[in-house]
Amino acid sequence: MSVFDEMLRNYPHRRHFLQTINLPTQTPKGGDFLYMKNHKAACTTVLATLMHNLERAQGGSVTLSMDAVHAPSKSLLLTGARGLSEARVIAAVNDPKVFKFTVVRDPVSRTVSAYADKVLGGQSQKTRLMTYLGRPHDSNITLKQFIALLANDEGARELDRHWRSQRKEISYDQIDFDYIGTVDTLKQSMDHIVKRIFGIEALGNSVDTGGDFGRRTELQKMLETLSARDIKNLEMAFEPDFEMYEMVNQTFAKALM
C-alpha cells in the first residue's frame, strides 16, 4: 500500500483528504511547508496567517474574507483535488526538507465548539445530522445527547469533519510532523510556525480570527455544564484523540520554551 493510500484510509473520500492538505505555491524564505488543516482547531487563523505572510512576501496584500480564507487563491496555496496530485502529496510528505505542521485542540473543547457552532447554530451540519438520525431537520438535540450519540454511534461520529477524529483528520499516524501546535497555546504556536516558515522578521504577523469575547464566554459556560458522564462519553468517542493530544503536549511543548 502506498503512503497516499495509507493516509486516504483516514477519510471518507479522496476529495476530503486533499482538502486537508495545504502547500505553498511559491517557496517562502524558510522553505516549503505542508499544513494539515484541522477544523475547529484554529484552522481559519492558521490559513489567514499563512496567506497574509505569503502575499506579503510577494509584495502584495490579500483581502482576508472568510470566503478567501477557505478557498485560497492558487497564487498562494495549493489544496484540494484541483490543486494537488497524488505525486505532489507523496513528495511533500516524504521530503525531510518540507516543514510539516498542524494545530490540534483539546478534544472536549473541540467537540463542544463544533456542537455550539454547527449544530446549535443551525448550520448545514445539523441538517445532515438530523437526516442521518431520521428526524425532522428542525429537531433539537442537547449537548449531552450529542456527546452520548458520538460515544455510541460510529456513523454519527464520522458524519462531519468538524467533530470527527482529529487524529484521522491530520493523518497523525502517517505523517512525521516537524511541529504540532495547540489551540491552548495558539499565540506561541503561531509565532513558532511563522518564524520557521517566513523568517524572524515576520514574527507577530499572526492573524487572529478566533471570534469575539462573547462567543468564547458562551463556550466556557457550556464546558462548565459537562458532567463526569459527559467527559466519560467523550473519552469513549475520541480515545485516540485524547492519547494524541497528550503526546503532542509532551513532544512539542518544549519547542515554545
Side-chain angles (χ1 to χ4, degrees), residues 15-16 18 32 48 67 69-70 79 86 90 100 128 148 189 201 203 208-209 212 216:
R15 179 171 56 85
H16 181 148
L18 293 175
D32 282 328
D67 288 343
V69 170
H70 290 291
T79 187
E86 179 176 336
I90 293 175
K100 292 170 276 289
R128 190 181 309 120
S189 294
E201 75 280 358
L203 273 173
D208 182 9
T209 61
D212 58 27
R216 297 177 188 180

Side-chain angles (χ1 to χ4, degrees), residues 5 37-38 54 72 79 137 150 183 198 219 222 234 252:
D5 288 336
K37 183 177 180 180
N38 184 18
L54 287 167
T79 187
H137 293 170
L150 297 183
V183 172
F198 299 102
L219 178 61
M222 296 179 74
L234 283 167
F252 295 98

Side-chain angles (χ1 to χ4, degrees), residues 133-149:
L133 295 174
R135 301 178 187 176
H137 293 170
D138 60 354
S139 299
N140 294 320
I141 182 170
T142 67
L143 175 58
K144 292 179 182 294
Q145 291 170 338
F146 179 68
I147 291 173
L149 175 67

Side-chain angles (χ1 to χ4, degrees), residues 61-126:
S61 61
V62 64
T63 302
L64 294 175
S65 67
M66 291 297 286
D67 288 343
V69 170
H70 290 291
S73 167
K74 290 183 180 180
S75 66
L76 301 176
L77 290 170
L78 300 177
T79 187
R82 294 184 178 181
L84 296 172
S85 65
E86 179 176 336
R88 186 71 180 269
V89 171
I90 293 175
V93 170
N94 288 336
D95 190 343
K97 295 180 181 179
V98 173
F99 176 64
K100 292 170 276 289
F101 76 95
T102 190
V103 175
V104 297
R105 186 173 186 175
D106 162 49
V108 176
S109 175
R110 180 175 183 262
T111 305
V112 174
S113 179
Y115 169 81
D117 187 22
K118 303 302 179 182
V119 180
L120 191 62
Q123 301 295 322
S124 60
Q125 289 80 8
K126 179 187 177 183

Side-chain angles (χ1 to χ4, degrees), residues 176-190:
D176 184 14
F177 284 101
D178 296 289
Y179 181 72
I180 300 179
T182 71
V183 172
D184 287 341
T185 61
L186 188 58
K187 175 60 170 63
Q188 301 97 310
S189 294
M190 289 309 303

